[in-house]
Amino acid sequence: MRHWPMTLVVFFHRKIINIRADLDAAITEAQSRVHHDAVFEGDQKLFDFTPLSADEVSKFIQRSSKKRCTLDPMLTSLVVSMIDELLPFTTCILNSSLSLGHFSGVWRAALVDPRLKKAGQAASLPNLRPVSNLQFVSKLTKRAVYDQTAEHLSRSGLYPLLQSAYRAGHSKETALLKVQNDILLAMDCQYVTLLVLLDLSVAFDTVDHQVLLRRLEVTYGITRTALQWSRSYLTGRTQRVYINQTYSDDFALPHGVPQGSCLGPLLFTMYASKLFEVVKSHLPEVHAYADDTQIYLSFMPDSAAGEHDAIAALQDCITDIRS
């Protein structure tokens, strides 16, 4: 019975380790092409998180998914049914985490729910992705951090404009419409468009924590207790697989942000935002949806020089993206 959980968690663990090893081996070669992080230029940095009122916590609980996690000390349904009695304690727990800049070590353990990347695929190891099932109160805390961080990004105009994912009004539909419209406009002008589609391998799971923390501070102005909370959240994370009432061993997660958490996509968006700065130095057009990126360039088809220049620009851009 223990065979399948261990097989899955070892597969996910080794996959990340192997990709990170390839990245680390390429670092020396890439140093000469590195682009420094943009520096925060907003009027107000995010120093601390604002404490929550009991009413705000109650709304979090009412809006949140009631999915059960076997790591929870109490059934989620029981917590919800006893909201009046437990609300003062829950509010105190959340505010302690926010004010101290500390994310409980107990909350950093995730149960992995292996899911098919696409419907209809065979249930083989390469077709599965690890989605984290997290403790209920930890999700409430992350929702509070998400809301205040997202507000800071919106207030300071820091959201990547051409990232169509993880926020209201930005979807697969807006991504497709943007790219298609740009190509059709180029066709109206008798231009041909070169389009390259890029996909980052296990993007969420290979996020470098030190790079992410530096970007939060330098580019997004997240410092002091707010940055300390993010460091605590990322440090010492573990995961295990639970199948047929059987657990695998715990495996450390020195890289990555959880899938299945509202905060993971926001952190990934900030982590990957530098991609737009890299592309901007080479090409006029880029769009992204989560970890899928479209880079494209239009040129006159009757000009050999124009075609050569367009291909060279795309190749140079891809080289820098690799770095």
Side-chain angles (χ1 to χ4, degrees):
M1 294 292 291
R2 191 173 173 79
H3 170 70
W4 280 112
M6 283 301 298
T7 299
L8 284 165
V9 77
V10 168
F11 171 77
F12 292 139
H13 180 72
R14 287 180 177 171
K15 184 176 183 180
I16 298 168
I17 294 300
N18 290 339
I19 291 176
R20 286 296 319 181
D22 291 341
L23 291 173
D24 292 341
I27 284 177
T28 302
E29 177 184 349
Q31 287 302 312
S32 61
R33 306 182 67 90
V34 71
H35 291 245
H36 295 291
D37 287 347
V39 178
F40 177 76
E41 296 179 349
D43 296 329
Q44 186 176 355
K45 293 185 176 182
L46 181 60
F47 296 114
D48 309 284
F49 295 119
T50 303
L52 304 172
S53 67
D55 286 342
E56 289 174 318
V57 175
S58 177
K59 291 177 181 177
F60 282 165
I61 293 173
Q62 293 168 3
R63 299 200 319 254
S64 66
S65 168
K66 307 305 186 292
K67 183 178 180 180
R68 180 193 174 193
C69 177
T70 58
L71 297 177
D72 278 321
M74 292 178 63
L75 292 174
T76 302
S77 58
L78 185 59
V79 174
V80 174
S81 66
M82 298 179 62
I83 185 172
D84 292 336
E85 293 81 1
L86 295 177
L87 189 57
F89 303 100
T90 306
T91 303
C92 181
I93 291 172
L94 267 63
N95 285 334
S96 293
S97 175
L98 299 179
S99 62
L100 296 174
H102 178 74
F103 190 75
S104 172
V106 176
W107 292 346
R108 297 176 209 157
L111 281 183
V112 169
D113 179 11
R115 297 185 186 178
L116 287 174
K117 296 177 182 177
K118 295 181 181 179
Q121 289 181 324
S124 59
L125 292 177
N127 292 337
L128 297 173
R129 61 186 178 95
V131 176
S132 297
N133 188 7
L134 307 164
Q135 294 187 52
F136 182 68
V137 177
S138 80
K139 291 189 285 189
L140 300 179
T141 309
K142 283 178 281 189
R143 170 54 64 179
V145 170
Y146 172 91
D147 286 354
Q148 296 189 35
T149 303
E151 181 184 356
H152 167 69
L153 265 59
S154 296
R155 182 175 62 246
S156 302
L158 294 173
Y159 265 115
L161 180 64
L162 298 176
Q163 169 63 273
S164 287
Y166 311 131
R167 53 182 168 144
H170 295 71
S171 63
K172 293 178 182 178
E173 183 178 8
T174 59
L176 290 169
L177 287 173
K178 165 64 176 168
V179 175
Q180 182 188 40
N181 185 65
D182 288 345
I183 294 174
L184 291 176
L185 288 176
M187 290 174 64
D188 286 343
C189 298
Q190 306 302 311
Y191 279 70
V192 170
T193 299
L194 290 177
L195 171 66
V196 177
L197 308 179
L198 304 176
D199 179 45
L200 299 175
S201 299
V202 287
F204 276 60
D205 298 322
T206 54
V207 167
D208 185 292
H209 292 166
Q210 296 308 311
V211 172
L212 172 58
L213 290 169
R214 183 174 68 247
R215 194 151 298 150
L216 294 181
E217 182 176 16
V218 175
T219 302
Y220 290 95
I222 299 174
T223 64
R224 289 193 334 205
T225 306
L227 184 65
Q228 181 180 326
W229 189 96
S230 299
R231 183 176 291 106
S232 176
Y233 172 68
L234 295 169
T235 303
R237 291 179 50 243
T238 62
Q239 70 177 16
R240 67 176 95 163
V241 173
Y242 179 68
I243 298 178
N244 297 328
Q245 299 183 336
T246 304
Y247 292 98
S248 71
D249 293 337
D250 284 333
F251 275 77
L253 294 173
H255 311 290
V257 293
Q259 299 185 61
S261 158
C262 65
L263 193 55
L266 180 64
L267 291 174
F268 176 78
T269 296
M270 292 188 281
Y271 178 76
S273 62
K274 189 174 178 180
L275 175 69
F276 295 98
E277 295 297 322
V278 174
V279 174
K280 189 167 63 176
S281 65
H282 295 277
L283 304 173
E285 301 294 351
V286 59
H287 204 90
Y289 182 84
D291 57 339
D292 296 316
T293 306
Q294 301 84 46
I295 57 175
Y296 46 106
L297 184 62
S298 301
F299 64 93
M300 288 296 293
D302 59 354
S303 169
E307 179 180 349
H308 177 272
D309 291 345
I311 294 173
L314 278 167
Q315 289 175 332
D316 287 344
C317 182
I318 293 171
T319 299
D320 260 9
I321 290 173
R322 287 184 184 274
S323 300

